[in-house]
Amino acid sequence: MTFQDIFKSSFLENLSSISMLDMIIALVLAFLMGLFIFFIYKKSYSGVMYSASFGVTLIALSLITTLLIMTVVSNVVLSLGMVGALSIVRFRTAIKEPLDIAFLFWAIAVGIVLAAGLLPLAVFGSIFIGLVLLGFSKSKTVDSPYILVVHCESSEIEEQVRVFIKSQVKRLNLKSKSVDKGCVELNYEVRLKEDDSAFVNELEAVAGVSRVVLVSYNGDYMG
């Protein structure tokens, strides 16, 4: 009995269903496209905390998707089993930035298109998408919101603080207010004038104000 006789389920035939050159080209292009998506993500990121691991995940997604789709194309029977196996996978990681979802789908789409053999579509389509995302990220159409947290001693100081802040910013909205004995905590959403935050130092020097904190507002407010 030879080694080939052991595998009667056409296992050895499947090894040559995709040429080595095609695999190398697809994986190398998937890696390069993943790097390009990573670069666009890094340049267009506008959130509070940048995650380098998410960028590496985009590269890995491009490569993994390319491998999966090449498997599906080469073997229909195996693809059905793979669909069943992947159907039980559950992802629990929360996506905080809405734009991150677009990058995830972009990385997956690149892997699918490359494995399907549509190389020009993957390359030129990714370049076009990258230019669009860069263009929108660089064009600042609205002012960046900030959350201003102020601790003051009384309601009289609170009114004085509100009037002062209103004179220093473009827009002022009260998000929450909590009152404790001898302390009033105010949370304002503000839009700065030309990103000038010097007024925070002046506000902290006001009599009756014990603490002032200014943080970037990414949309996930917790009062």
Side-chain angles (χ1 to χ4, degrees):
M1 179 180 292
T2 64
F3 180 77
Q4 187 172 1
D5 294 334
I6 300 176
F7 298 92
K8 295 299 185 180
S9 60
S10 70
F11 173 76
L12 294 178
E13 286 77 359
N14 291 332
L15 295 179
S16 59
S17 59
I18 300 178
S19 66
M20 184 63 66
L21 180 60
D22 292 339
M23 287 188 287
I24 293 175
I25 293 176
L27 291 177
V28 170
L29 283 177
F31 177 72
L32 294 177
M33 289 295 98
L35 283 177
F36 178 72
I37 296 173
F38 185 12
F39 173 78
I40 298 298
Y41 171 74
K42 188 175 182 180
K43 290 296 182 181
S44 62
Y45 185 78
S46 59
V48 179
M49 298 295 293
Y50 169 75
S51 175
S53 62
F54 183 81
V56 177
T57 302
L58 297 175
I59 300 176
L61 269 179
S62 300
L63 292 170
I64 294 171
T65 306
T66 302
L67 285 176
L68 288 175
I69 300 303
M70 291 179 71
T71 304
V72 170
V73 172
S74 63
N75 193 317
V76 178
V77 177
L78 184 59
S79 66
L80 296 177
M82 186 177 299
V83 170
L86 293 177
S87 65
I88 65 175
V89 177
R90 296 292 183 269
F91 299 96
R92 301 296 183 184
T93 303
I95 303 298
K96 295 183 178 180
E97 295 291 334
L99 193 59
D100 290 352
I101 301 177
F103 280 96
L104 289 174
F105 275 104
W106 183 9
I108 294 173
V110 163
I112 294 174
V113 175
L114 285 175
L118 305 176
L119 306 186
L121 177 60
V123 175
F124 293 108
S126 294
I127 293 175
F128 179 76
I129 294 174
L131 292 176
V132 170
L133 291 176
L134 279 179
F136 276 101
S137 65
K138 298 301 180 182
S139 60
K140 190 176 180 181
T141 57
V142 295
D143 298 323
S144 300
Y146 291 84
I147 288 294
L148 180 65
V149 182
V150 183
H151 290 184
C152 51
E153 296 179 353
S154 62
S155 58
E156 291 78 10
I157 303 298
E158 172 189 348
E159 180 61 23
Q160 181 181 350
V161 166
R162 188 191 67 82
V163 173
F164 174 77
I165 297 175
K166 190 174 183 179
S167 65
Q168 299 294 322
V169 299
K170 289 183 179 180
R171 188 191 304 177
L172 175 66
N173 293 321
L174 180 63
K175 304 294 292 185
S176 71
K177 174 182 177 181
S178 60
V179 181
D180 200 356
K181 292 182 179 180
C183 180
V184 179
E185 180 180 302
L186 304 170
N187 291 269
Y188 291 105
E189 178 187 345
V190 298
R191 304 296 174 99
L192 303 182
K193 295 179 179 179
E194 299 179 356
D195 292 332
D196 184 13
S197 61
F199 74 95
V200 176
N201 300 330
E202 301 178 22
L203 181 60
E204 194 276 334
V206 174
V209 176
S210 59
R211 186 186 182 194
V212 180
V213 179
L214 181 68
V215 296
S216 178
Y217 177 38
N218 66 345
D220 299 327
Y221 175 75
M222 296 182 64

